[in-house]
Amino acid sequence: MTGEQQIPETLADEWAWNAAGRLIPRSVDVAIIGGGIVGCSAAYFLARQGVAVALFEKGRIAGEQSGRNWGWVRQQGRSPIELSLMIESLGLWQELQRNLGEDTGFRQGGSLYLAEDTVQLAELAEWLEVARAHGLDTRMLSGSELDGVLRSGGRWAGAMYTASDARAEPGRATPAIARGAARAGAQIVSQCAVRGIERAAGRVQSVVTEQGVVRAPVVVCAAGAWTRMLCRSLGITVPQLTVLGTVARTAPATQLLEGEAWSPRIAIRRRIDGGYTVAHGSSSVHSLTPATFRFAAKFLPALRQGHKSLRLRFGREFFEAMAEPARWPLDAPSPFERRRILDPAPEAGVLAEMREALRQWFPEIAGAPFVESWGGMIETSPDVLPIISDVEGLEGFVVATGFSGHGFGIGPGAGRLIADMVRGRADPDEVSAFRLDRFFDGSPIRPGPAL
Ligand SMILES: Cc1cc2nc3c(=O)[nH]c(=O)nc-3n(C[C@H](O)[C@H](O)[C@H](O)COP(=O)(O)OP(=O)(O)OC[C@H]3O[C@@H](n4cnc5c(N)ncnc54)[C@H](O)[C@@H]3O)c2cc1C
């Protein structure tokens, strides 16, 4: 986008042509690293408030998690710690759908957590208290009541249902937000990795991109699964691990529901093309890396909770991660340029299990072929909650990561919060819940090598 821009003569001084002939700003108020939904939403809200902002994406907008997810925009089942932000985010999704001038696929069709038996149903019902405390429309449905929301719902013992929950199309939503940000004045620069950050006297000075240096007193690191690596090069420890999810989409098929439904074995979401985005309800793979062992103690509670659905794998990834540099020169291609897009292969075994579960639980759509399948690397924090935080010891640096498999829905809310933090307008109580130093006794910047 930026490359095609004409520079008004009066602004010429503010811009530099780099060796590749692309145009990037020389100086901005805020530089954002990462063109996922979090970075793009932050750029959108900042630009609309008149802040000079540039976003750098090493690959393409929404090329990683934000374009590969299930497309659920849900409040149901969330931790009370992030629920208020999610409720706000739902309102922002409505506004974005109205104001962006293009269809993000946002539809409020409700979300269902399905129970195969009464034990599961009782477990689900435990969350109702949280829903009530937040004034949500969540309710329990018996098998026969479910029929009104999900065709042939009587197969299930019942469900938890939130009618106000929504869905959106990952392939459309983040690019639409990026275009909205660009219209509001943000510079969106894709195919441009940030190699690192220059700092002086304990504050950020500039980002060093593969296209040149851009001065910025504030840098937002919304680099998804790459955040740990980038932050580590700055001496900042971000406890983050990744798990692989496998997803498929079907050809158009009979309409079973308006929104989305999850059970431990299968999850489906209605798509605007009339097909379904399908995934296993509880299967993910974590490839062991040295980081697994470094952060094992912090992740132990999450690992214990997810042990039934998480499979551990030891292989190539371990040795690749061993070879990963902790630091690199900023005047030569960095690891971010060597791997523009994380595009892991989907797991054939999981796809087969999904097909089988469709046959058992949703036979009406089981005949629809999978027209596409893909893998998505999900990054997660130890408490499975976002990190949206400044960093003690590095003034002007904001980390926004750790969305732990549910950052698509909350992305616009996170973007609004980041914009408020950058402008010094955020509510300290809201900010404190997401601080990075909740995982440490002291500052995450430590003398010696970061983890
Ligand atoms: C399979 C799967 C299913 C999911 N399902 C859901 C769901 O249904 N609902 C939900 O709410 N959430 C879901 N999620 C989670 C959600 O997709 C993520 O939490 C969210 O997209 C995170 O957004 P992000 O902007 O933080 O990161 P990302 O979308 O990963 O974006 C980070 C970007 O930063 C770029 N980058 C990294 N380093 C650099 C650098 N040095 N320079 C320039 N650019 C850089 C990357 O290329 C990437 O594009 C799912 C995720 C997956 C993978």
Side-chain angles (χ1 to χ4, degrees):
M1 273 184 244
T2 315
E4 290 150 22
Q5 221 158 6
Q6 295 297 311
I7 345 163
E9 227 168 88
T10 48
L11 289 181
D13 196 35
E14 311 224 348
W15 297 80
W17 286 99
N18 61 39
R22 283 182 71 185
L23 190 59
I24 61 163
R26 269 195 185 141
S27 169
V28 287
D29 297 330
V30 181
I32 297 176
I33 308 170
I37 193 159
V38 175
C40 291
S41 298
Y44 176 83
F45 289 109
L46 283 165
R48 282 170 60 97
Q49 293 170 40
V51 176
V53 52
L55 179 149
F56 301 96
E57 164 54 53
K58 66 179 166 56
R60 59 165 199 274
I61 298 298
E64 297 192 350
Q65 297 176 92
S66 298
R68 292 163 183 266
N69 63 68
W70 297 0
W72 289 46
V73 177
R74 77 175 158 85
Q75 309 156 101
Q76 181 164 287
R78 288 200 180 238
S79 157
I81 294 171
E82 62 174 359
L83 191 51
S84 300
L85 188 60
M86 181 57 224
I87 293 169
E88 180 200 345
S89 200
L90 190 65
L92 294 174
W93 272 102
Q94 289 164 341
E95 275 176 46
L96 289 166
Q97 175 72 1
R98 263 197 315 273
N99 299 336
L100 286 177
E102 51 184 306
D103 189 3
T104 62
F106 177 81
R107 307 281 188 274
Q108 268 179 297
S111 74
L112 285 165
Y113 282 6
L114 301 163
E116 291 176 15
D117 53 44
T118 49
V119 177
Q120 278 179 15
L121 197 59
E123 279 169 13
L124 290 173
E126 286 169 18
W127 193 77
L128 277 182
E129 212 175 299
V130 177
R132 278 195 205 107
H134 285 78
L136 289 182
D137 54 347
T138 307
R139 61 199 164 100
M140 301 309 290
L141 302 178
S142 67
S144 54
E145 287 167 328
L146 188 53
D147 257 338
V149 180
L150 173 70
R151 202 170 135 188
S152 307
R155 263 183 219 117
W156 304 85
M160 183 162 72
Y161 177 55
T162 303
S164 58
D165 272 352
R167 57 180 159 106
E169 293 300 334
R172 290 180 176 221
T174 301
I177 297 169
R179 283 188 283 272
R183 279 194 301 276
Q187 307 299 315
I188 307 291
V189 191
S190 56
Q191 290 287 317
C192 183
V194 171
R195 291 175 174 164
I197 286 157
E198 291 177 329
R199 55 189 153 173
R203 50 166 319 131
V204 298
Q205 298 279 301
S206 51
V207 287
V208 180
T209 79
E210 63 181 292
Q211 305 286 337
V213 177
V214 182
R215 280 194 308 276
V218 175
V219 174
V220 176
C221 179
W226 299 82
T227 306
R228 182 186 62 79
M229 191 187 196
L230 184 70
C231 286
R232 183 188 186 197
S233 75
L234 302 169
I236 303 167
T237 301
V238 175
Q240 180 182 51
L241 295 177
T242 54
V243 292
L244 170 67
T246 290
V247 193
R249 71 179 173 90
T250 71
T254 313
Q255 179 154 6
L256 295 178
L257 77 177
E258 187 45 53
E260 58 245 10
W262 173 90
S263 82
R265 282 188 241 188
I266 188 80
I268 60 171
R269 171 186 60 89
R270 183 82 179 149
R271 300 170 55 92
I272 56 170
D273 63 11
Y276 292 86
T277 291
V278 181
H280 195 292
S282 54
S283 166
S284 51
V285 180
H286 171 64
S287 293
L288 297 170
T289 66
T292 316
F293 300 99
R294 282 187 215 125
F295 297 132
K298 292 190 195 304
F299 276 88
L300 212 54
L303 286 170
R304 273 205 200 106
Q305 219 177 356
H307 74 278
K308 279 193 199 140
S309 55
L310 188 67
R311 274 173 291 150
L312 299 177
R313 192 159 64 190
F314 178 76
R316 185 173 43 87
E317 291 83 358
F318 186 90
F319 299 101
E320 281 174 2
M322 284 272 284
E324 200 176 82
R327 286 189 177 74
W328 45 85
L330 301 187
D331 58 357
S334 66
F336 309 109
E337 288 135 278
R338 284 195 280 277
R339 203 161 181 194
R340 294 270 170 200
I341 299 178
L342 266 183
D343 183 20
E347 290 235 300
V350 175
L351 289 170
E353 285 173 33
M354 284 155 53
R355 286 245 64 113
E356 182 48 39
L358 280 179
R359 269 191 288 278
Q360 184 179 353
W361 294 102
F362 298 114
E364 300 83 357
I365 60 167
F370 287 170
V371 286
E372 195 183 2
S373 61
W374 61 91
M377 210 50 100
I378 304 169
E379 50 83 22
T380 176
S381 73
D383 59 6
V384 205
L385 284 166
I387 298 165
I388 307 172
S389 178
D390 52 20
V391 178
E392 204 191 314
L394 186 53
E395 193 97 357
F397 191 68
V398 176
V399 187
T401 195
F403 289 87
S404 306
H406 46 275
F408 183 62
I410 210 169
R416 190 280 304 157
L417 177 56
I418 293 165
D420 281 0
M421 283 172 66
V422 164
R423 304 201 67 210
R425 295 178 175 183
D427 172 353
D429 286 342
E430 188 177 21
V431 171
S432 72
F434 302 119
R435 287 196 59 80
L436 174 60
D437 56 18
R438 70 183 187 269
F439 301 116
F440 305 96
D441 292 337
S443 163
I445 294 203
R446 289 156 186 278
L451 295 173

